[in-house]
Amino acid sequence: MNCEPPAAHPEPAASFVRLLPKVELHLHLEGSIQPETLRELLRSNNRPDDQAEAWLAARVRQGYRYGGFAEFLEAFKYVALLLETPRDYALVTRRLVEGLALQNVRYAEVTLAAGVLLWKKQSVPAVFEACAESARDIGSRLGVRVSWIFDAVRQFGADHAREVVTWAARFREAGVVAFGIGGDELRGPAELFRDVYRQARDLGLHTTAHAGETAGPEGVRAAVELLGAERIGHGIAAIRDASVLCLLRERQIPLEVCLTSNLATGVVSRIEEHPLPWLLEEGLVVTLNSDDPGLFGTTLEQEFDLAMRSYQLRPQDAARLCENAIRASFLSGPEQEALAAELHVQTGGREPPRLAN
Ligand SMILES: [Zn+2]
């Protein structure tokens, strides 16, 4: 494949990235909500928003950084609790898809915290149907396709996760492609979810798992070997164990790497210490993602920009990261080929596609 940028049209790195047809695989709906969308949501529901305003101001003041992973989980919970109705979820889905279109993201596998919905005692079908309809409606107009991942909260245990799997399977026809687990790795070890993952596979779902983010490399190994996860959310702790790197390389298990997220939650203290360049060097299938862009003050484009600036990546490296995401997605083979062909055209120097706006 020719990944060279078009020689006749030299582009600054950011413009080059903007034009690439991108795929995002690790993106939480609730964490995607931008401050202005949160304000819009509260205004549209006539809710008093002094507390939320103060909360948003604190986020900005702190530069979207958290005093550790537990504090970040609290922030995620805070935002999730502001989503009270299916209409709220439809609105934040609409704004998310609009934001993806502006970045030329063509396909996204968006994680809906179905486990949090159960915890909030909200109707999973009512909320999901609102999200799916919203994504279809705006996505078809802007050229963004969305599939869904339902995730369970690790620390809520196996029965809770089983319920999430049941809902995910029920909505396969409506666009739910996978089941995953997130939350606190240390309080919800992989062993608890072995049968749940088997059940998910039996029901025709793909599987992912957050692992090796706050816990060590053994969590990544367990997600692959015990759970059979097809992709790993983060997985950066793998760098600390050569045998886990070997396992990921041999099985070509993609990692959903999220740079700003790791800095914001304090999992990695400096961008220079992030293992992304070493993971690439080790020959792993690395994809770049924004995770919770609203809570971290980032976008997928900014993640590419950060990676390129911090690690001196070349345009062809950015194109490779895009292709990795296409190949690691749960799209069918022909759908992957179609997107990869678009990417190749873009990186091969022909007329770039126009951006949706
Ligand atoms: Zn995540």
Side-chain angles (χ1 to χ4, degrees):
M1 138 187 175
N2 179 9
C3 282
E4 293 294 331
H9 308 282
E11 301 271 7
S15 311
F16 175 77
V17 168
R18 164 70 56 99
L19 293 170
L20 295 174
K22 289 176 284 298
V23 164
E24 172 132 36
L25 302 176
H26 193 123
L27 175 58
H28 298 269
L29 176 66
E30 300 81 352
S32 75
I33 305 170
Q34 299 296 332
E36 56 272 26
T37 304
L38 208 49
R39 291 191 183 100
E40 182 185 358
L41 183 125
L42 294 166
R43 252 195 335 266
S44 71
N45 289 340
N46 290 322
R47 283 186 227 150
D49 60 2
D50 287 355
Q51 197 197 4
E53 273 302 331
W55 186 85
L56 285 169
R59 296 279 76 70
V60 174
R61 210 168 40 245
Q62 292 158 11
Y64 296 93
R65 294 296 188 264
Y66 300 85
F69 196 74
E71 190 180 307
F72 162 69
L73 288 181
E74 282 303 309
F76 187 93
K77 191 167 106 182
Y78 180 79
V79 172
L81 283 168
L82 291 173
L83 300 169
E84 292 181 353
T85 65
R87 208 178 63 152
D88 293 346
Y89 277 88
L91 173 68
V92 300
T93 302
R94 168 176 293 266
R95 296 291 174 253
L96 168 60
V97 174
E98 288 168 348
L100 293 173
L102 287 174
Q103 301 174 69
N104 203 23
V105 174
R106 299 297 181 77
Y107 174 68
E109 290 175 359
V110 177
T111 295
L112 174 67
V116 173
L117 283 175
L118 293 173
W119 171 73
K120 289 197 291 177
K121 303 205 182 316
Q122 272 176 292
S123 162
V124 174
V127 166
F128 175 65
E129 279 161 13
C131 293
E133 191 186 334
S134 182
R136 264 195 310 273
D137 175 39
I138 191 75
S140 63
R141 278 188 268 150
L142 297 180
V144 181
R145 183 172 160 196
V146 171
S147 293
W148 297 90
I149 298 171
F150 276 13
D151 90 337
V153 183
R154 297 181 84 123
Q155 59 270 31
F156 290 175
D159 288 343
H160 155 88
R162 207 166 283 119
E163 200 176 339
V164 172
V165 166
T166 306
W167 282 116
R170 197 167 298 180
F171 287 110
R172 271 185 62 210
E173 295 293 314
V176 177
V177 290
F179 162 78
I181 50 175
D184 190 340
E185 279 181 75
L186 302 171
R187 289 197 289 148
E191 300 77 62
L192 289 180
F193 303 99
R194 214 173 175 156
D195 289 343
V196 178
Y197 271 73
R198 190 175 303 125
Q199 183 192 359
R201 270 192 300 281
D202 289 347
L203 291 168
L205 292 162
H206 290 286
T207 54
T208 65
H210 284 70
E213 178 185 15
T214 52
E218 65 286 350
V220 180
R221 178 182 289 286
V224 173
E225 291 186 337
L226 293 184
L227 304 182
E230 294 167 71
R231 286 200 313 249
I232 303 296
H234 301 281
I236 54 172
I239 202 68
R240 307 200 312 247
D241 186 329
S243 70
V244 176
L245 287 174
C246 191
L247 175 73
L248 293 171
R249 189 170 44 242
E250 276 177 12
R251 300 202 191 178
Q252 290 288 288
I253 305 283
L255 299 185
E256 303 155 359
V257 172
C258 314
L259 295 171
T260 300
S261 163
N262 296 151
L263 295 170
T265 61
V267 170
V268 174
S269 45
R270 294 165 61 240
I271 190 71
E272 295 80 9
E273 291 168 14
H274 198 285
L276 172 74
W278 292 283
L279 295 169
L280 286 170
E281 211 163 283
E282 288 286 340
L284 300 198
V285 183
V286 173
T287 67
L288 262 191
N289 304 273
S290 64
D291 202 358
D292 299 284
L295 289 172
F296 298 140
T298 190
T299 63
L300 182 60
E301 266 184 2
Q302 287 178 41
E303 294 302 296
F304 271 90
D305 188 45
L306 179 63
M308 291 178 83
R309 277 189 290 111
S310 305
Y311 311 123
Q312 287 81 49
L313 300 186
R314 301 158 302 172
Q316 55 265 45
D317 299 320
R320 167 59 62 191
L321 289 166
C322 280
E323 177 147 17
N324 284 351
I326 293 170
R327 303 292 179 196
S329 75
F330 297 135
L331 287 169
S332 69
E335 289 167 327
Q336 289 186 7
E337 290 309 323
L339 259 180
E342 270 192 64
L343 177 68
H344 293 182
V345 167
Q346 183 56 37
T347 53
R350 294 185 222 167
E351 191 63 29
R354 293 189 71 78
L355 294 182
N357 55 36

